[in-house]
Amino acid sequence: LQSQTHIRPNVYSYGIMMRIVLRFASSPKEQQRLLKHVFQQCCDYGCVSEENLHRFLQCVTDNNGVIERVFPKHVLVGKQNSRKYKHGYHICVDDLPTEWTTNVNKIGHS
């Protein structure tokens, strides 16, 4: 999608891409690698919705410190010891840098 000048990914396309990765990745290791990659692109394009954030946090295992590499340190402060996600962090959209969510409320192409 990124190479097409007239097509831009949006909040919904990133959600769909994460679901595809979860369903069709060839191995758990590949699934985690692809989830991280898709979520980082989602952040770069400003398309992190509450649903996309939740899906990522729910599915990433964080065996290799993925959470610490994806999220800025100030986002993680005070967010540990949550039972909601298996890696122990509870992060909401309001905690994120605004540029990660800048295209969430736009309709159509982001």
Side-chain angles (χ1 to χ4, degrees):
L1 287 175
Q2 293 175 0
S3 63
Q4 302 295 320
T5 57
H6 60 283
I7 299 174
R8 292 270 187 237
N10 62 26
V11 172
Y12 306 106
S13 59
Y14 282 111
I16 291 167
M17 285 188 277
M18 281 192 266
R19 285 192 294 271
I20 289 169
V21 166
L22 290 169
R23 181 146 187 188
F24 296 110
S26 61
S27 69
K29 184 178 181 179
E30 182 70 358
Q31 182 185 71
Q32 294 298 299
R33 185 187 72 76
L34 290 170
L35 273 175
K36 179 183 174 231
H37 180 75
V38 170
F39 186 75
Q40 286 181 315
Q41 287 184 345
C42 185
C43 296
D44 292 344
Y45 274 87
C47 293
V48 180
S49 64
E50 191 73 49
E51 182 180 334
N52 289 344
L53 175 64
H54 174 70
R55 180 169 286 114
F56 177 75
L57 291 173
Q58 189 174 31
C59 298
V60 73
T61 60
D62 203 39
N63 291 341
N64 298 317
V66 171
I67 298 294
E68 287 83 5
R69 287 196 310 274
V70 170
F71 294 95
K73 287 184 181 185
H74 74 274
V75 170
L76 301 178
V77 172
K79 300 296 179 179
Q80 280 185 293
N81 301 323
S82 170
R83 294 176 188 250
K84 184 170 184 173
Y85 300 111
K86 55 190 159 197
H87 46 71
Y89 287 102
H90 182 83
I91 302 165
C92 65
V93 169
D94 293 338
D95 300 325
L96 302 177
T98 55
E99 58 269 13
W100 287 16
T101 61
T102 192
N103 292 316
V104 169
N105 294 322
K106 293 184 179 179
I107 307 266
H109 296 294
S110 301

